[in-house]
């Protein structure tokens, strides 16, 4: 986590998001992000050298599992790598 050399995922999110973890393998970067003001956790998967990304919110208790297995977690949400749309879970209780 370096503020002097932001990852590709950090470039996609507002300054409010803090990178908690990042890993890169086989040209794919996975970032675990947290928003203090929104109290939300987010996974961003970017195909480096490709114009493909996957971006979705996760419940806090699922954050590490989603970080280590983003494709499986995204598939459970009905998303696939390369989809142009991202999803956001509404984690706020409904009134």
């Amino acid at each position: 986590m370096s503020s002097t050399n932001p990852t590709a995922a950090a470039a996609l999110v507002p300054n409010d998001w803090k990178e908690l973890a990042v890993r890169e393998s086989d040209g794919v970067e996975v970032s675990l992000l947290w928003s203090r003001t929104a109290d939300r956790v987010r996974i961003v998967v970017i195909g480096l050298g490709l114009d493909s990304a996957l971006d979705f919110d996760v419940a806090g208790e699922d954050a590490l599992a989603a970080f280590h297995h983003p494709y499986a977690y995204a598939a459970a949400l009905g998303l696939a790598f390369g989809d142009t749309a991202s999803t956001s879970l509404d984690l706020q209780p409904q009134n």
Side-chain angles (χ1 to χ4, degrees):
M1 292 186 290
S2 171
S3 60
T4 59
N5 185 15
T7 65
L12 294 179
V13 295
N15 290 336
D16 175 55
W17 291 90
K18 178 176 176 71
E19 188 174 77
L20 300 178
V22 65
R23 64 185 180 84
E24 194 244 313
S25 177
D26 296 326
V28 175
E29 181 180 276
V30 180
S31 296
L32 173 61
L33 306 162
W34 171 64
S35 168
R36 178 184 307 269
T37 58
D39 194 24
R40 290 176 35 212
V41 180
R42 179 181 198 175
I43 300 293
V44 177
V45 182
I46 298 176
L48 303 173
L50 305 172
D51 289 332
S52 297
L54 181 61
D55 172 355
F56 55 90
D57 287 351
V58 296
E61 61 269 11
D62 296 330
L64 283 178
F67 174 72
H68 291 292
H69 307 285
Y71 300 117
Y73 197 93
L77 296 174
L79 300 173
F81 188 67
D83 285 352
T84 55
S86 63
T87 187
S88 175
L89 300 175
D90 183 1
L91 302 177
Q92 299 300 316
Q94 299 297 311
N95 294 328

